[in-house]
Amino acid sequence: MVLACQPDGPILLEHRRPRLREMSPAFPVERLKALLERLEESRLHLEANVNPRFVLQSTCLSLGAV
Protein backbone atom coordinates (compact mmCIF):
# COMPACT_ATOMS: atom_id res chain seq x y z
CA MET A 1 0.00 0.00 0.00
CA VAL A 2 2.92 2.30 0.70
CA LEU A 3 4.17 1.90 -2.85
CA ALA A 4 0.74 2.70 -4.23
CA CYS A 5 0.54 5.92 -2.20
CA GLN A 6 4.23 6.89 -2.10
CA PRO A 7 6.32 5.01 -4.70
CA ASP A 8 9.57 6.16 -3.10
CA GLY A 9 8.34 5.93 0.49
CA PRO A 10 10.15 3.93 3.17
CA ILE A 11 9.56 0.20 3.45
CA LEU A 12 10.86 -2.29 5.98
CA LEU A 13 12.37 -4.78 3.53
CA GLU A 14 14.10 -2.44 1.12
CA HIS A 15 15.64 -5.32 -0.84
CA ARG A 16 12.08 -6.36 -1.81
CA ARG A 17 11.21 -3.00 -3.43
CA PRO A 18 11.72 -4.20 -7.05
CA ARG A 19 9.41 -7.19 -6.54
CA LEU A 20 6.83 -5.06 -4.75
CA ARG A 21 6.84 -2.55 -7.61
CA GLU A 22 6.35 -5.42 -10.02
CA MET A 23 3.37 -6.73 -8.02
CA SER A 24 1.77 -3.38 -7.17
CA PRO A 25 -0.44 -3.06 -10.29
CA ALA A 26 -2.36 -6.14 -9.14
CA PHE A 27 -3.19 -4.42 -5.83
CA PRO A 28 -4.69 -0.97 -6.37
CA VAL A 29 -5.35 1.09 -3.24
CA GLU A 30 -9.11 0.46 -3.43
CA ARG A 31 -8.57 -3.31 -3.38
CA LEU A 32 -6.15 -3.09 -0.46
CA LYS A 33 -8.62 -0.96 1.49
CA ALA A 34 -11.36 -3.54 0.85
CA LEU A 35 -9.07 -6.33 2.04
CA LEU A 36 -8.24 -4.43 5.22
CA GLU A 37 -11.93 -3.75 5.86
CA ARG A 38 -12.73 -7.46 5.52
CA LEU A 39 -9.94 -8.34 7.96
CA GLU A 40 -11.20 -5.75 10.43
CA GLU A 41 -14.71 -7.24 10.19
CA SER A 42 -13.23 -10.66 10.95
CA ARG A 43 -11.39 -9.30 13.97
CA LEU A 44 -14.62 -7.81 15.29
CA HIS A 45 -16.41 -11.13 14.81
CA LEU A 46 -13.71 -12.91 16.78
CA GLU A 47 -13.98 -10.34 19.56
CA ALA A 48 -17.73 -11.01 19.61
CA ASN A 49 -17.00 -14.71 20.20
CA VAL A 50 -18.13 -15.93 16.80
CA ASN A 51 -16.82 -19.42 16.12
CA PRO A 52 -13.17 -18.97 14.96
CA ARG A 53 -13.47 -21.71 12.36
CA PHE A 54 -16.51 -20.02 10.83
CA VAL A 55 -14.72 -16.65 10.85
CA LEU A 56 -11.67 -18.14 9.14
CA GLN A 57 -13.75 -19.85 6.45
CA SER A 58 -15.84 -16.75 5.86
CA THR A 59 -12.77 -14.52 5.73
CA CYS A 60 -10.99 -16.77 3.23
CA LEU A 61 -14.03 -16.87 0.97
CA SER A 62 -14.60 -13.13 1.15
CA LEU A 63 -10.95 -12.27 0.48
CA GLY A 64 -11.09 -14.29 -2.71
CA ALA A 65 -13.96 -12.11 -3.92
CA VAL A 66 -12.09 -8.82 -3.43
Side-chain angles (χ1 to χ4, degrees):
M1 189 164 199
V2 170
L3 290 178
C5 297
Q6 297 176 336
D8 296 320
I11 58 173
L12 183 61
L13 302 172
E14 187 62 41
H15 68 283
R16 295 287 189 187
R17 185 179 296 272
R19 178 72 175 127
L20 292 171
R21 278 201 176 133
E22 185 179 304
M23 293 172 54
S24 64
F27 297 96
V29 174
E30 296 79 24
R31 182 175 179 204
L32 294 173
K33 286 169 77 173
L35 290 169
L36 291 172
E37 288 171 2
R38 299 271 170 99
L39 291 173
E40 177 64 12
E41 288 174 12
S42 297
R43 185 186 67 78
L44 293 173
H45 287 138
L46 290 171
E47 285 182 357
N49 291 322
V50 175
N51 182 312
R53 188 175 191 168
F54 174 76
V55 173
L56 178 61
Q57 289 175 344
S58 175
T59 301
C60 290
L61 290 172
S62 69
L63 291 179
V66 174

